[in-house]
Amino acid sequence: MTKSLKCLYTAVMLFAAFVVVGGKFPAVGRLFLPKEPTAYILGDQYRMCDLDRFREEIPAGKPSAAATLEEADVLTLGDSFFNSALASDIFANELGRRLGGKVHNLATKEFFEPQSYPLSYLQHIGYRGDRKRILVLETVERSALERSGTYNGAGAAAGNELDALAFKVLKNNDVEYFFKHNVMVGPLESRLKNFRFKYLNIVDKSIGAYSLNPNMLFYQRDIEFSRVKKTDAVVVAAARDIAKLSATLKERYNIDLVYMVIPDKYSVYRGLVKGAPSYDRFIPRLCSRLTEFGVKNIDVYTLYERYNRPGIPPLYFASDTHYTAHGKAVLAEATANMLRSTLPARGDGMSTIASSGEGGR
């Protein structure tokens, strides 16, 4: 090997090590990424594709003080939709304000995907069913079938920690992001992506479709899930798993379950994509089965369809997979209305929220 080739090989290996370390160790990686703004956040889909046309500065919301587990009568548990504070407060606090009571969000960074293993997580934190509570459990649509199969799992804390470690070490999304956005490669990568989009209509593989009027990006994983055939047998099996979870929560922890699936943005706005097939109505079908099995639920797709009209503010950000402040408010209000009709009176163990939905401590 010539001296030039050795130098090139060494440089490539050093750069590869730099990318891996920067991706896997955020404290190091942040030193070599452009400084993030503090007043606003760039949408997750924009960060995937870096297309200037879809750049959207989303106000960085600041969650207000959350209710503690001890004082709350309503609990929430979900994925990034329930934990998002984009241009608004987190869902639990929005719900609490509408109910006039205390709502506690069970999210934690110390347990890998607690929303996929609610029973294991409650056991992990030593939850005591000393009084009646309601749990609002949420999943995004693209993960609904997968999670329905894990809800009743008995994954121990040790196994959960191994799952988290495997996710961090083996999944390379963080490394890929650092490679594409570090201060050396990022500017060149961005120019190349914008050139390819402008002249060749090519977008990043993570974006499955887009609309130009209005501007809107759609996540490839959402489109892939929309193509999955959900037979009646599949929907019934998922509903049975959720019903089993509901029964276990009631028996073991004195918790009443309210279940919801938040639609993928593509499910609601697929009409903006030319040639997109009609929606398979997965969420309404699942909700119908859940009702048959006695599980309280909210059909978020049908709810959102009522607000998917010209002149009404969008329910999802154009450049992000999550709902807007309006989309969150619509869901929080619908959830509060449902809970007002299902919460027992104070004399039945609900110390914070009366059945009318008014009052507090």
Side-chain angles (χ1 to χ4, degrees):
M1 185 180 292
T2 65
K3 185 175 181 180
S4 297
L5 287 176
K6 287 182 178 179
C7 289
L8 178 61
Y9 176 79
T10 302
V12 169
M13 294 303 293
L14 288 173
F15 182 73
F18 163 72
V19 170
V20 171
V21 172
K24 293 298 182 184
F25 298 93
V28 176
R30 279 193 291 268
L31 300 175
F32 299 95
L33 290 171
K35 189 175 181 180
E36 291 285 336
T38 56
Y40 62 86
I41 294 172
L42 298 176
D44 55 12
Q45 291 173 297
Y46 167 78
R47 296 197 302 272
M48 294 173 190
C49 65
D50 289 318
L51 297 178
D52 294 339
R53 166 126 192 182
F54 298 97
R55 181 183 172 92
E56 180 183 28
E57 297 181 356
I58 302 171
K62 186 177 181 181
S64 58
T68 66
L69 176 60
E70 290 72 20
E71 65 185 352
D73 292 311
V74 178
L75 311 174
T76 62
L77 180 62
D79 50 36
S80 56
F81 276 89
F82 270 16
N83 301 322
S84 168
L86 296 177
S88 57
D89 207 338
I90 63 171
F91 181 83
N93 293 339
E94 294 284 357
L95 176 60
R97 277 190 282 274
R98 285 162 174 80
L99 281 172
K102 301 292 187 179
V103 180
H104 174 75
N105 187 29
L106 283 168
T108 177
K109 295 180 180 179
E110 299 176 356
F111 192 93
F112 182 66
E113 292 202 343
Q115 70 275 9
S116 296
Y117 308 95
L119 296 177
S120 295
Y121 177 61
L122 291 173
Q123 180 181 3
H124 174 71
I125 64 173
Y127 184 87
R128 295 169 59 89
D130 51 351
R131 61 190 175 94
K132 187 173 184 178
R133 286 190 172 100
I134 289 177
L135 171 65
V136 182
L137 179 63
E138 171 269 333
T139 178
V140 67
E141 184 177 9
R142 62 178 172 270
S143 299
L145 290 178
E146 178 183 357
R147 285 178 180 155
S148 67
T150 64
Y151 287 148
N152 295 286
N160 186 272
E161 291 168 2
L162 291 175
D163 286 341
L165 180 61
F167 183 85
K168 180 175 178 61
V169 173
L170 300 178
K171 298 291 185 180
N172 291 315
N173 294 348
D174 44 12
V175 174
E176 182 179 358
Y177 180 85
F178 182 75
F179 171 75
K180 292 179 178 180
H181 294 86
N182 71 77
V183 292
M184 291 181 281
V185 175
L188 296 175
E189 177 82 6
S190 179
R191 290 191 184 95
L192 177 60
K193 285 185 173 182
N194 279 278
F195 177 87
R196 289 164 54 192
F197 178 73
K198 183 176 181 179
Y199 295 104
L200 302 173
N201 292 324
I202 296 175
V203 297
D204 189 88
K205 63 182 180 181
S206 62
I207 304 298
Y210 61 88
S211 164
L212 298 179
N213 186 28
N215 286 340
M216 192 164 287
L217 297 169
F218 297 99
Y219 192 22
Q220 175 62 23
R221 285 186 58 198
D222 294 352
I223 296 174
E224 289 172 355
F225 184 77
S226 75
R227 294 169 180 162
V228 173
K229 189 173 182 179
K230 301 114 178 157
T231 64
D232 288 341
V234 167
V235 173
V236 169
R240 280 204 179 100
D241 284 336
I242 297 165
K244 182 180 177 182
L245 169 66
S246 178
T248 305
L249 286 169
K250 180 71 172 178
E251 179 183 356
R252 189 180 300 173
Y253 294 112
N254 199 18
I255 287 176
D256 286 337
L257 177 66
V258 173
Y259 190 76
M260 67 171 67
V261 178
I262 295 184
D264 298 325
K265 180 166 63 171
Y266 181 69
S267 294
V268 177
Y269 289 114
R270 67 174 61 216
L272 298 176
V273 180
K274 186 177 179 180
S278 59
Y279 182 52
D280 63 6
R281 299 191 59 78
F282 166 65
I283 294 175
R285 289 161 58 207
L286 177 63
C287 288
S288 178
R289 292 295 186 178
L290 288 173
T291 300
E292 290 177 10
F293 289 141
V295 179
K296 296 183 178 68
N297 63 87
I298 297 176
D299 182 351
V300 187
Y301 175 81
T302 300
L303 171 70
Y304 276 8
E305 277 296 280
R306 297 203 293 268
Y307 291 86
N308 184 12
R309 300 285 187 272
I312 296 179
L315 299 160
Y316 295 79
F317 292 106
S319 65
D320 195 273
T321 54
H322 299 98
Y323 44 26
T324 59
H326 174 65
K328 185 184 295 184
V330 165
L331 181 55
E333 185 64 30
T335 306
N337 287 338
M338 179 185 188
L339 294 183
R340 289 188 193 107
S341 66
T342 58
L343 288 176
R346 284 193 177 102
D348 194 19
M350 301 299 291
S351 58
T352 304
I353 307 168
S355 57
S356 65
E358 298 178 352
R361 282 188 169 84

